[in-house]
């Protein structure tokens, strides 16, 4: 059985998918009432599962008519994907950033589950067991090489 965080995440993703604009506005308290949970549970889901690294932009407005807006960021077209990869990875890449990028590519169906798992295993800090900052440099180079090879036409 899935936990409440998974259920809320899937609900929000379905809302995003159904919206023609790629964005949804929610009120935290209303959503918490709908799922019979505390509002901090909604905050937890949004702050951990709808991050910039995972391809989401979250804006909030506090106060009486406050809302939380979640917007799905689209990946660039295939023609400029290589440039996007180089820019988003840079010279160093943390494990968290690598996992976020893989999540974003997986969600956009640019890579398969199997490809994501293989790449995640290859760039894991336990596998690249050297000291920082060299580990993050190697991770960035490996991510670039793997993604370019996978996305070659």
């Amino acid at each position: 059985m899935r936990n409440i965080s998974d259920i809320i995440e899937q609900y929000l993703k379905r809302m995003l998918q159904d919206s023609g604009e790629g964005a949804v506005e929610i009120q935290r308290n209303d959503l918490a009432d709908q799922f019979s949970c505390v509002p901090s549970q909604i905050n937890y889901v949004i702050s951990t599962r709808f991050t910039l690294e995972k391809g989401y932009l979250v804006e909030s407005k506090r106060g009486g008519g406050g809302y939380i807006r979640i917007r799905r960021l689209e990946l660039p077209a295939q023609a400029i994907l290589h440039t996007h990869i180089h820019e988003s990875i840079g010279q160093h890449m943390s494990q968290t950033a690598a996992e976020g990028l893989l999540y974003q590519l997986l969600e956009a169906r640019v890579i398969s589950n199997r490809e994501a798992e293989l790449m995640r295993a290859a760039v894991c800090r336990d596998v690249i067991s050297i000291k920082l900052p060299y580990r993050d440099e190697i991770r960035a180079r490996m991510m670039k090489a793997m993604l370019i090879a996978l996305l070659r036409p």
Side-chain angles (χ1 to χ4, degrees):
M1 184 165 163
R2 299 184 311 168
N3 66 35
I4 189 70
S5 294
D6 294 337
I7 294 167
I8 295 167
E9 175 188 14
Q10 290 307 311
Y11 175 79
L12 291 170
K13 284 183 177 179
R14 203 169 32 256
M15 283 180 67
L16 279 164
Q17 188 176 8
D18 293 345
S19 85
E21 303 167 7
V24 293
E25 285 185 9
I26 59 166
Q27 292 204 324
R28 186 178 68 141
N29 289 336
D30 292 345
L31 201 57
D33 289 343
Q34 183 176 343
F35 288 100
S36 300
C37 66
V38 293
S40 62
Q41 182 72 42
I42 304 302
N43 286 347
Y44 169 78
V45 171
I46 291 171
S47 66
T48 59
R49 304 194 184 189
F50 293 90
T51 63
L52 193 55
E53 292 88 4
K54 293 182 179 180
Y56 298 94
L57 181 63
V58 178
E59 306 167 63
S60 63
K61 179 183 173 236
R62 301 198 183 268
Y67 61 84
I68 297 172
R69 180 182 296 135
I70 303 170
R71 176 170 293 142
R72 177 89 173 121
L73 301 174
E74 295 300 321
L75 281 173
Q78 186 75 18
I80 58 171
L81 198 52
H82 290 271
T83 304
H84 176 70
I85 289 167
H86 283 286
E87 288 174 357
S88 63
I89 293 175
Q91 299 300 313
H92 299 86
M93 184 172 229
S94 69
Q95 183 167 342
T96 302
E99 289 173 358
L101 179 59
L102 290 173
Y103 179 87
Q104 185 179 9
L105 293 168
L106 188 58
E107 284 285 301
R109 294 189 172 105
V110 173
I111 60 174
S112 70
N113 282 327
R114 183 176 172 93
E115 291 164 343
E117 287 302 317
L118 284 168
M119 293 175 72
R120 192 173 290 117
V123 299
C124 176
R125 71 176 55 93
D126 296 333
V127 172
I128 309 172
S129 60
I130 58 175
K131 294 194 183 291
L132 292 172
Y134 303 113
R135 179 173 56 219
D136 287 352
E137 286 180 33
I138 290 171
R139 181 180 294 113
R141 289 180 184 184
M142 290 174 64
M143 285 290 291
K144 286 178 189 176
M146 288 186 288
L147 288 171
I148 289 170
L150 275 175
L151 301 175
R152 224 175 251 140

